[in-house]
Amino acid sequence: MGVVFGGFVPHPPIIVPAVGKNNLAKAKNTVEGMRAWARECVAHKPDTIVIISPHGPVFQDAIMITAYRRISGSLSGFGAPDVRVDTENDLSLVQAIAEEARRRDISIGVLDQDLAKEFDIPLTLDHGSMVPLYFLSEAGFQGKVLPIAMGLLPRDQLYAFGMALREAMGKVEQAVALVASGDLSHRLSPDAPAGYNPLGREFDAAVEQAFARWDIDAMLNMDENLCETAGECGFRPLLMLAGAFDTSGVKSHVYSYEGPFGVGYMVASITGEGEKQPPSEDRLTKYRRQQQGHLQQVRQNESIYVRFARQTLEAYVREEELPPIPAELSASSPAGAFVSIKKKGQLRGCIGTIAPTQDNLGEEIRNNAISAGVNDPRFFPVEAEELDDLVYSVDVLSPEEPIDSLNALDPQRYGVIVRYQGRQGLLLPMLDGVDTVEEQVDIARQKAGIAEGAPMRLSRFEVIRHH
């Protein structure tokens, strides 16, 4: 029968009465919006709810589709053990989605109990799913639930997965509602969970306007820095929802938006009840072509530092002879350097040295370019078919300088090194989403595995960033 209803909803447990209690009034608009949204969803009589959460088992390189036979969870971790879900999964739909996603060459994983045990993944629903399901249950929904965890994949892959969802839902007999769970910016006020940034409200306004107009192009092309700086958790689920409703004749509606507690909550729906639109050029093909054009422009404007790093890794991965070090770099004084690699906006590798380890800067860049591509423990080694999609930057570091106070730091000018009992953490300056000294130092501390409150020694350094 296919997808009959879609929604984008927030998931703060505080909007559930048993959790929020006296604080419920602070999010009154959201509570009312959720109830209206849930009633509309149930009125479309879905047999199955497919819910995409950013707080499930999120993987860097795959979207996880839950295949447990029964789906259960509660808000006991938020002091409300009586708020529970216990229902069947829709295993026929799991199979249809997996087959369609693989046909489109989208990286997915089917999360059964064996895989959950291997990765130590809880068998219960996270609050990103529990909160929307509470309101749907309150409105009378009693059907099956299929949870999906968003992946940290490039935008085109997330969007293509949404298209795969639509095709798979169209192949099953049951009516399906698709729910994207996600909060918007977590940086709307000084007391917000991620600290304040004025771009938080700009991001929320852009998302709300794009959804109200159902302007998918605006969603796909939203500025990466704006999304990163906003500190959101809902943009990727939104892109997956958009892919599922990139069809003619849809109608969007925003029930409510507000930002209590420094976090943006938008409640919205999408249905197939709008006016029919004439067919247009395939949106995903157009987006990918635009991205390829942008990448070509980046390559044409590469600095000598970046071009050498890129050509070095390309030759290494293809098992070709490494390029010679350009005279300008071989003549440069030794220095520490970091090579960063991104793929379609997502970090793909970053390795560097605080102080020089080679005879000249060119050798430093060559070693670190290879290490960033194949030795970063957070990622699988770069493969040959990925090379055309990679974007590089090279940071050349000045010698570090010990400091006695956080007042000597500026995350836009200085990087920071923290040390304690043989542990060391470093964070570069000018990073998207790192806006305060406190954030910068805390991230470096966590990277080093240093306990909070430890008496760390601090150093700062400057960088010249080359693109």
Side-chain angles (χ1 to χ4, degrees):
M1 185 173 183
V3 59
V4 295
F5 184 81
F8 180 86
V9 295
H11 50 241
I14 201 169
I15 65 174
V16 175
V19 177
K21 299 178 181 177
N22 295 335
N23 288 312
L24 211 61
K26 297 178 181 178
K28 179 182 177 182
N29 292 339
T30 301
V31 174
E32 292 178 352
M34 288 291 287
R35 284 177 169 151
W37 166 83
R39 288 194 297 269
E40 182 182 359
C41 179
V42 172
H44 282 78
K45 300 180 179 179
D47 301 299
T48 299
I49 299 289
V50 174
I51 186 160
I52 303 167
S53 172
H55 296 296
V58 174
F59 283 71
Q60 183 79 30
D61 56 351
I63 295 166
M64 300 305 292
I65 306 168
T66 300
Y68 312 150
R69 185 169 297 279
R70 290 201 67 82
I71 302 300
S72 63
S74 76
L75 289 179
S76 58
F78 298 91
D82 292 337
V83 179
R84 309 187 63 84
V85 168
D86 186 5
T87 188
E88 289 185 66
N89 197 345
D90 192 332
L91 296 181
S92 64
L93 185 54
V94 169
Q95 182 177 352
I97 294 171
E99 290 175 354
E100 186 62 30
R102 288 168 178 151
R103 187 182 71 81
R104 294 170 179 262
D105 200 26
I106 300 167
S107 179
I108 63 148
V110 177
L111 184 63
D112 58 17
Q113 292 183 332
D114 291 338
L115 191 61
K117 183 177 181 180
E118 178 182 349
F119 287 96
D120 195 25
I121 295 171
L123 300 178
T124 54
L125 291 169
D126 60 273
H127 72 277
S129 295
M130 281 297 306
V131 172
L133 289 173
Y134 164 80
F135 285 95
L136 289 167
S137 177
E138 182 186 63
F141 176 73
Q142 297 179 335
K144 298 179 179 181
V145 174
L146 196 172
I148 295 175
M150 73 172 195
L152 301 179
L153 301 179
R155 292 184 183 187
D156 63 325
Q157 288 282 292
L158 297 172
Y159 192 81
F161 181 77
M163 298 173 71
L165 284 176
R166 182 185 69 219
E167 290 299 316
M169 293 171 186
K171 295 177 180 179
V172 297
E173 296 181 358
Q174 54 269 39
V176 184
L178 177 61
V179 180
S181 173
D183 298 335
L184 298 184
S185 175
H186 290 60
R187 295 183 165 180
L188 300 182
S189 64
D191 60 344
Y196 174 68
N197 191 295
L199 292 180
R201 289 198 178 276
E202 183 178 329
F203 169 81
D204 284 13
V207 170
E208 183 180 3
Q209 291 169 12
F211 199 104
R213 300 192 305 265
W214 200 238
D215 187 345
I216 295 177
D217 290 324
M219 298 179 202
L220 267 175
N221 293 288
M222 197 162 292
D223 182 78
E224 290 178 2
N225 181 61
L226 180 62
C227 298
E228 182 72 25
T229 304
E232 50 72 37
C233 70
F235 187 65
R236 290 181 178 89
L238 175 61
L239 289 181
M240 297 161 81
L241 177 72
F245 282 88
D246 183 5
T247 57
S248 61
V250 298
K251 180 180 179 182
S252 61
H253 176 67
V254 176
Y255 290 90
S256 65
Y257 170 83
E258 61 182 345
F261 320 113
V263 180
Y265 304 145
M266 183 178 78
V267 182
S269 66
I270 182 79
T271 64
E273 299 172 357
E275 296 180 2
K276 296 294 181 182
Q277 301 294 325
S280 61
E281 182 180 8
D282 180 81
R283 198 183 312 273
L284 189 57
T285 301
K286 180 180 178 182
Y287 172 76
R288 285 172 169 163
R289 187 169 59 249
Q290 289 173 339
Q291 293 300 107
Q292 192 61 37
H294 173 70
L295 182 58
Q296 291 174 357
Q297 285 185 328
V298 169
R299 294 281 168 86
Q300 291 170 1
N301 295 304
E302 284 176 336
S303 67
I304 189 172
Y305 303 84
V306 167
R307 183 175 298 111
F308 177 60
R310 174 176 61 80
Q311 291 175 344
T312 295
L313 181 61
E314 289 176 346
Y316 183 87
V317 171
R318 290 169 176 153
E319 299 183 349
E320 300 170 350
E321 183 178 353
L322 298 182
I325 299 174
E328 179 180 335
L329 300 184
S330 63
S332 297
S333 300
F338 273 73
V339 175
S340 301
I341 306 171
K342 287 189 174 182
K343 179 180 178 181
K344 298 183 178 179
Q346 303 297 314
L347 185 66
R348 186 62 180 84
C350 179
I351 293 288
T353 43
I354 300 173
T357 63
Q358 305 298 320
D359 292 336
N360 60 62
L361 180 58
E363 291 180 356
E364 203 80 37
I365 292 173
R366 179 168 60 191
N367 285 6
N368 292 340
I370 294 171
S371 291
V374 302
N375 294 329
D376 190 326
R378 297 169 294 180
F379 305 96
F380 291 113
V382 167
E383 298 182 354
E385 56 266 28
E386 298 179 79
L387 292 171
D388 290 341
D389 293 326
L390 303 182
V391 175
Y392 301 72
S393 65
V394 175
D395 290 321
V396 180
L397 280 61
S398 68
E400 66 173 285
E401 174 188 4
I403 58 173
D404 297 324
S405 168
L406 296 183
N407 294 330
L409 289 172
D410 177 348
Q412 295 306 310
R413 179 180 178 183
Y414 297 110
V416 66
I417 304 170
V418 301
R419 294 184 175 95
Y420 177 70
Q421 293 186 343
R423 294 179 179 269
Q424 174 178 283
L426 177 147
L427 203 68
L428 295 170
M430 299 178 287
L431 295 180
D432 294 341
V434 181
D435 305 298
T436 68
V437 169
E438 290 76 15
E439 287 177 315
Q440 185 186 41
V441 172
D442 196 51
I443 294 171
R445 175 190 64 76
Q446 293 179 47
K447 289 176 67 176
I450 298 173
E452 187 173 1
M456 300 180 297
R457 291 180 291 116
L458 304 177
S459 295
R460 71 183 186 182
F461 58 90
E462 294 186 87
V463 306
I464 300 176
R465 179 159 295 170
H466 300 277
H467 295 283

